[in-house]
Amino acid sequence: MSLAPCEATPDEAVFLDWLLQNGALFPKIKWPVLNAKSGLRGAVAIADISRDEVMLSIPKKLLLCPETAQQSELGAILPRHPGVTGDTAVAFQLLFERAKGKRSFYGPYIDVLPQPSPLSSWDASDMRELQDYRLVRRARGRRNAIQYRYERFVVPLLEQEDHELLTTQHFSLDKFVWAWNVVASRAFGRRLPWVALVPFADCLNHANVQTKYDYDVTEDADDAELSNSLEFSLLDAEATQREAQQGRSGRGNGLFRMFPTGTTQYAKGSEVFNSYGRRPNDNLLMEYGFAMLFNEWDEVQVHISLFDELRRQAQLAASEASDASPSDIGDAVDSFREAFRRRLVKQNGRETFDLRLAVPDVGFLAFARSCQFAGKEAAAASLATPDPALAETKLVDSEVLLRDASGASSHGVAVQIPRESMMERRENP
């Protein structure tokens, strides 16, 4: 990756001075630099950074979070509005500080924030280019959700509080959408006691690297923290959230610290990254407005509209077969369907089918293939005497079936197949 040196803009130079004057440390990182290919700003290592080496540390007072909000004028206001919590509270704090202009302690940080561009900010013509109605529907739903949150929680606060900055001029819907998208695309929180914007840490671009961070650890626990695997993991999120909340306030080092971990380390001259998590491209596009060409965590969604068509074909076959009734054929289709659905894996709160973990009944694939390719008589016969060749149906054959299946059914099954799994099966059928 080619990184081009660039001069910091006046706002960026002020931001860097503000960080250093207030105790931020990042001695082996230079920011900003430009990616020569994309033209985007990023960070580069100016010396080797080893695994588990602290590559940046940011003092608590630089964070925008509930604790620093409590220490500001908002400390007397937000407790009266219990709905303004979490992301909403940080977005509100960001707008409040923005309204102060040059009087804000956080002004140098706010001045360098780029305009967020999540999918929900795209116009209708751009969204049509996605050719993905599910993703478009999610983006529109996000717009509505942000507006609802604004009208439900922010507007009443503005109406009830008497403060020169708490006006619709400073807290319009458009400005709240901007603040919300800044928080959604830049905030940290999984390993913190609350959601927080962390200046400079949020300037690192995303890559599928191994990264960890900690917050406010006790000085005598630093070595133990490093050896106890604080590596970011979706599996231990709940445990680490509790850990972050266990009475460290006032006893720790007061720092947000970030490290490379696992096999990740940075040679001098290479770009330094953060990982936003194990995210497929639709999530990256939804939350951050970009996608990755080669993303190991990407997945594709295949919509199957098959079962009603199978029932129709099976019933037609039964009408010409003397030894099978339509209800017999229909019951068989239903049993195959249920066997298939029972192997759906729960993932991210949705019904998905991961072909690495589960395989549908061979009987279902055999029956489906016979209905699709062998004709009506074979469909009926397969119920009583399965074809040995069909019994050996491979998953790669089912892909052919899915590609050629009729779309007549309105009751499909959504199947998510990780792209790496698809490629693996194609290379090793």
Side-chain angles (χ1 to χ4, degrees), residues 204-267:
L204 304 183
N205 292 325
H206 167 72
N208 288 323
V209 296
Q210 292 172 285
T211 303
K212 65 187 179 186
Y213 60 86
D214 63 24
Y215 171 73
D216 201 26
V217 298
T218 54
E219 294 299 338
D220 59 354
D222 284 359
D223 293 339
E225 291 284 350
L226 290 177
S227 63
N228 286 337
S229 184
L230 279 173
E231 182 178 347
F232 174 81
S233 168
L234 295 179
L235 298 177
D236 67 355
E238 184 177 341
T240 55
Q241 183 77 358
R242 290 196 303 268
E243 176 185 288
Q245 295 173 332
Q246 288 177 349
R248 286 179 170 169
S249 180
R251 297 190 299 108
N253 59 16
L255 298 174
F256 172 99
R257 307 184 306 174
M258 184 177 288
F259 318 75
T261 189
T263 59
T264 300
Q265 54 188 345
Y266 298 104

Side-chain angles (χ1 to χ4, degrees), residues 186-329:
R186 305 181 75 85
F188 294 79
R190 189 172 295 277
R191 293 191 173 279
L192 304 179
W194 15 246
V195 175
L197 288 170
V198 185
F200 194 77
D202 62 2
C203 292
L204 304 183
N205 292 325
H206 167 72
N208 288 323
V209 296
Q210 292 172 285
T211 303
K212 65 187 179 186
Y213 60 86
D214 63 24
Y215 171 73
D216 201 26
V217 298
T218 54
E219 294 299 338
D220 59 354
D222 284 359
D223 293 339
E225 291 284 350
L226 290 177
S227 63
N228 286 337
S229 184
L230 279 173
E231 182 178 347
F232 174 81
S233 168
L234 295 179
L235 298 177
D236 67 355
E238 184 177 341
T240 55
Q241 183 77 358
R242 290 196 303 268
E243 176 185 288
Q245 295 173 332
Q246 288 177 349
R248 286 179 170 169
S249 180
R251 297 190 299 108
N253 59 16
L255 298 174
F256 172 99
R257 307 184 306 174
M258 184 177 288
F259 318 75
T261 189
T263 59
T264 300
Q265 54 188 345
Y266 298 104
K268 179 180 179 180
S270 62
E271 183 167 2
V272 178
F273 293 102
N274 182 22
S275 171
Y276 301 169
R278 298 176 177 180
R279 298 177 181 267
N281 276 341
D282 65 336
N283 184 275
L284 291 174
L285 198 59
M286 182 73 183
E287 303 295 343
Y288 307 100
F290 70 88
M292 301 173 68
L293 183 59
F294 301 105
N295 181 1
E296 64 183 294
W297 301 113
D298 198 14
E299 60 191 27
V300 295
Q301 189 173 76
V302 179
H303 186 73
I304 306 175
S305 299
L306 181 63
F307 295 119
D308 283 358
E309 178 64 15
L310 283 178
R311 175 182 286 278
R312 186 185 69 81
Q313 292 193 29
Q315 289 174 338
L316 286 174
S319 68
E320 299 180 4
S322 59
D323 58 346
S325 69
S327 62
D328 291 337
I329 302 292

Side-chain angles (χ1 to χ4, degrees), residues 81-138:
H81 303 275
V84 183
T85 59
D87 290 9
T88 305
V90 178
F92 195 91
Q93 181 187 13
L94 177 61
L95 277 185
F96 188 77
E97 294 297 333
R98 188 190 192 193
K100 293 180 181 179
K102 297 301 181 182
R103 295 187 291 115
S104 172
F105 171 71
Y106 298 96
Y109 170 62
I110 295 172
D111 288 343
V112 299
L113 286 173
Q115 178 66 34
S117 57
L119 185 58
S120 59
S121 69
W122 292 20
D123 62 30
S125 61
D126 287 337
M127 283 194 185
R128 282 196 294 271
E129 295 297 320
L130 291 173
Q131 302 182 47
D132 186 334
Y133 74 89
R134 295 182 186 87
L135 194 53
V136 170
R137 185 168 58 193
R138 285 169 55 194

